[in-house]
Amino acid sequence: MKRFLAAAAMVMAGLPALASSDDIVKVKSFSDVGTTMDRLEAAVTGAGANVFARVDHTAGAASVDMELAPTQVLIFGNPKIGTQAMQDDPVAGLFLPMKVLVYRDGAGQVWLAYEDPKEMFDDLAIDDDAEYIKMMTGALGKLTAKAAGQ
């Protein structure tokens, strides 16, 4: 609720509402974006989850004659887990399926980034101690570590 009120105050003041950096988990990768994303996709399917889409933002930028450092998003999930969140609060569907961003920053470092599930559902009627949040958090940690080459 605190995050919602802070964001609302920012919007009312004419400032953009941004997610707190505490809400975003970043994992350093030891490979390029393409390799990291390939590993992530393989880890997700290997874990029995569904890959719904792989979005290449760099290709999208190139399609309109713009440049963007390598940046991709993998959208994936496991309906057995995500459905439980949506049963507790249908608005959870705005945050699901899960998403992991893989990007190269200005210094050339590749990162995986995702929103912490506990924080993602913070403003919803979802208990922070729900077992499915623990499952999502654990899965994201393992999948991104594997993709990062750790």
Side-chain angles (χ1 to χ4, degrees), residues 99-113:
K99 293 169 262 331
V100 174
L101 173 72
V102 180
Y103 68 98
R104 188 182 73 209
D105 68 15
Q109 177 59 55
V110 173
W111 297 92
L112 295 102

Side-chain angles (χ1 to χ4, degrees), residues 51-119:
V51 171
F52 298 108
R54 182 170 171 167
V55 180
D56 186 340
H57 288 297
T58 306
S63 75
V64 292
D65 297 322
M66 297 178 75
E67 291 185 21
L68 183 66
T71 306
Q72 296 184 30
V73 174
L74 193 69
I75 302 170
F76 62 94
N78 182 334
K80 288 182 182 179
I81 299 171
T83 300
Q84 294 175 60
M86 293 176 66
Q87 287 172 332
D88 285 347
D89 189 331
V91 178
L94 286 172
F95 304 99
L96 298 171
M98 305 300 293
K99 293 169 262 331
V100 174
L101 173 72
V102 180
Y103 68 98
R104 188 182 73 209
D105 68 15
Q109 177 59 55
V110 173
W111 297 92
L112 295 102
Y114 60 91
E115 191 168 12
D116 180 344
K118 192 172 184 178
E119 300 300 323

